[in-house]
Amino acid sequence: MSKKVDWGEVLDLFHEITSQLIQKQLTITTMESCTGGLIGTLLSDQAGASSVVPGGFFTYSNEAKERAGVPGDVIREHGVYSLQTAGQMAKTCRDYYKTDIGIGVTGTLGTIDPNNTDSEPGEVYVAISFDNEYYQEQLSWPGQLKDRWTYRMMIAYQVACMLSDVVPKL
């Protein structure tokens, strides 16, 4: 994604998504790693959001993901930065909070993760889980971006676009 993400546009997208969730009485939760809880924050950033966002997880380390319920064998077999792990994160948080939708985000932002040497900077994996279906996407930004906030905003924007496709279908 080369488009510069506008903070106001991201907020507007998440406000629309949360409004639709409230209107449809659909609940949502997140398990986030590299986004540091930003997506959960954006989903809950309006009046009435507590009726659809019961909570979420910020699981930065492999151990935190496992303690939250992501199977360790998935992380060991596929790597912590993979579509499989993102899918398990989405399922785990959805099951934990008994929500309609779960979002899992894992990836490496600006540098190689010293705890996961197979990491590829700029590679992020997103999964949205509902019922028995998954929307998954691998996002790539080659090279170094200016800062982690820019990465997080770009990921949040992509998640908002994915949710904009999913929520109206529910």
Side-chain angles (χ1 to χ4, degrees):
M1 173 184 192
S2 59
K3 175 187 178 223
K4 180 157 172 72
V5 176
D6 176 76
W7 176 240
E9 183 180 355
V10 174
L11 280 175
D12 289 346
L13 280 169
F14 275 96
H15 281 194
E16 176 59 30
I17 290 163
T18 301
S19 294
Q20 285 184 32
L21 291 168
I22 292 168
Q23 180 183 27
K24 294 174 181 250
Q25 298 180 338
L26 294 171
T27 54
I28 191 166
T29 186
T30 66
M31 183 179 289
E32 301 175 63
S33 184
C34 60
T35 47
L38 178 62
I39 295 163
T41 298
L42 291 167
L43 285 166
S44 62
D45 189 43
Q46 74 184 63
S50 63
S51 67
V52 296
V53 184
F57 293 92
F58 170 40
T59 55
Y60 217 48
S61 70
N62 296 8
E63 295 78 20
K65 290 171 185 67
E66 288 186 49
R67 280 194 300 273
V70 175
D73 60 331
V74 171
I75 293 171
R76 286 184 291 281
E77 183 177 336
H78 300 285
V80 70
Y81 307 124
S82 66
L83 287 174
Q84 294 85 352
T85 296
Q88 283 298 309
M89 291 168 71
K91 180 185 182 315
T92 297
C93 67
R94 191 194 77 221
D95 290 348
Y96 182 88
Y97 283 105
K98 298 180 180 15
T99 59
D100 299 301
I101 303 167
I103 300 171
V105 182
T106 185
T108 309
L109 298 183
T111 59
I112 291 176
D113 177 351
N115 295 314
N116 295 286
T117 55
D118 62 339
S119 63
E120 292 287 331
E123 296 294 316
V124 177
Y125 303 87
V126 176
I128 298 174
S129 167
F130 64 92
D131 293 330
N132 291 320
E133 296 188 42
Y134 289 89
Y135 284 84
Q136 295 180 313
E137 202 168 313
Q138 179 178 348
L139 309 173
S140 294
W141 292 280
Q144 294 279 323
L145 291 181
K146 184 173 134 180
D147 57 51
R148 295 171 76 79
W149 178 250
T150 302
Y151 273 118
R152 287 180 173 140
M153 286 297 296
M154 290 170 42
I155 296 164
Y157 176 78
Q158 289 298 314
V159 170
C161 292
M162 290 172 71
L163 283 170
S164 293
D165 288 341
V166 172
V167 172
K169 297 175 185 175
L170 300 177

